[in-house]
Amino acid sequence: MKNQYDAAESALKEARNEFIAIGDRLGSAQCLQSVGNILLMKNQYDAAESALKEARNEFISLENNHEASYCLASIGIISRLQQNYDAAQLELKEAQMVLSSFGDHAWVAWCQEQLDLISDAARQSNI
């Protein structure tokens, strides 16, 4: 599986460079978001967070808050996996709020599942 992630990451970076070359900021941001999610799956949390934050900022500058909220949800997952539960809750709640405003019910529910996991983990760590 690692080789497939590596190949996908490489292809996305190449595609991003092409989007940058033709001035397509949305395509570039989408590629970077995908790279960030691949890095997350590869447990490369610092690099993933950096890519996702950069993609989120680009989506925000393009006034695409829907895509920006997906990035924020992924950043929240990174925080959860690093047991930074306070940050994870803030990130996921903000993403959930924005996603709700777009009527994105599946992602709202997914954010809630992640928030429930955080509550469970916090409860267990206080036992």
Side-chain angles (χ1 to χ4, degrees), residues 11 23-24 28 35 37 40-41 43-44 47 52 65 71-72 78-79 84 97 99-100 102 109-110 114 118 120 127:
D24 185 338
S28 170
V35 167
N37 285 322
L40 170 57
M41 290 184 276
N43 299 328
Q44 295 178 11
L52 289 162
N65 292 327
C71 293
L72 187 57
I78 293 168
S79 295
N84 185 352
M97 181 183 67
L99 291 162
S100 179
F102 285 101
W110 182 85
Q114 300 306 309
I118 292 167
D120 292 345
I127 293 176

Side-chain angles (χ1 to χ4, degrees), residues 35-81:
V35 167
N37 285 322
I38 289 170
L39 292 167
L40 170 57
M41 290 184 276
K42 291 170 60 175
N43 299 328
Q44 295 178 11
Y45 299 138
D46 291 339
E49 183 175 17
S50 178
L52 289 162
K53 283 182 176 180
E54 185 179 343
R56 180 174 186 251
N57 288 337
E58 187 65 17
F59 286 129
I60 289 169
S61 75
L62 293 168
E63 299 180 6
N64 189 334
N65 292 327
H66 199 179
E67 289 295 327
S69 65
Y70 292 140
C71 293
L72 187 57
S74 293
I75 293 166
I77 294 307
I78 293 168
S79 295
R80 181 181 67 81
L81 291 170

